[in-house]
Amino acid sequence: IGAGPSLDHYLDTLRVWQGGKTIIAAGTVWKKLLKEGIHPDYVVIMDPYEIVFQQVEGIEDTSATLLITAQANWQVGHYYQGRKYLIPSPVPAEGVEDYWEKLGVTPWFAGGSVTVNELEFAVRMFADKVYLLGVDLSLPGGLTHASDTRYRQKVADISGLIPLEDVNGNTVYTNSILIESKDWFELIMGETEGIEYINMSDVGVKLKGTIPYR
């Protein structure tokens, strides 16, 4: 689950799926999901910024397993009292690679965004079918995020954005950061066999290697 605007279209579906499918969510939407009565099995938090701590601050439900990348804000892991694991992400900082080597750990391949790390986790957990929710990788209707999330904004000026084909064959606008995530998604999906990738976004960018949700 990403934080794209199309997530709002599938909240009822997620409620039905609880207990039947493994739900992996970005920290950005964790509080939103809990408010909607949806309890993710795993939550991934990636960024080092102080504001990221607010994704976990105040959460008393410890049923989710928290996956924290090596560069995530240190307060996140310190605060959360539920199960938590460190993702051995490749961080461009001195000594990190040596640290993984001493532990006998091979760094994960993924980069780019929290949703890319979610995807790699699903692949590494031997999923045979992956549903992508809220992975719009664009700004449909000029909106940056799903409702009731801290980062949601409305972009009025699209002159600096990049047009791409959306899942319906129309044009949607995006930016270079989201295109980088799109490239990561398509790279990982292109190098994994035996996994069916279902794009549930009904307004986002067309992703090579996925089939539409029906």
Side-chain angles (χ1 to χ4, degrees), residues 72-123:
N73 184 278
W74 67 271
Q75 297 177 92
V76 172
H78 181 74
Y79 179 87
Y80 187 61
Q81 298 303 304
R83 293 181 304 275
K84 48 202 169 189
Y85 293 90
L86 181 66
I87 294 175
S89 46
V91 181
E94 185 178 352
V96 175
E97 296 298 329
D98 291 339
Y99 178 70
W100 297 137
E101 186 175 348
K102 288 178 181 178
L103 291 178
V105 172
T106 301
W108 283 23
F109 179 66
S113 71
V114 64
T115 47
V116 174
N117 279 277
E118 290 177 64
L119 179 63
E120 182 165 2
F121 174 66
V123 170

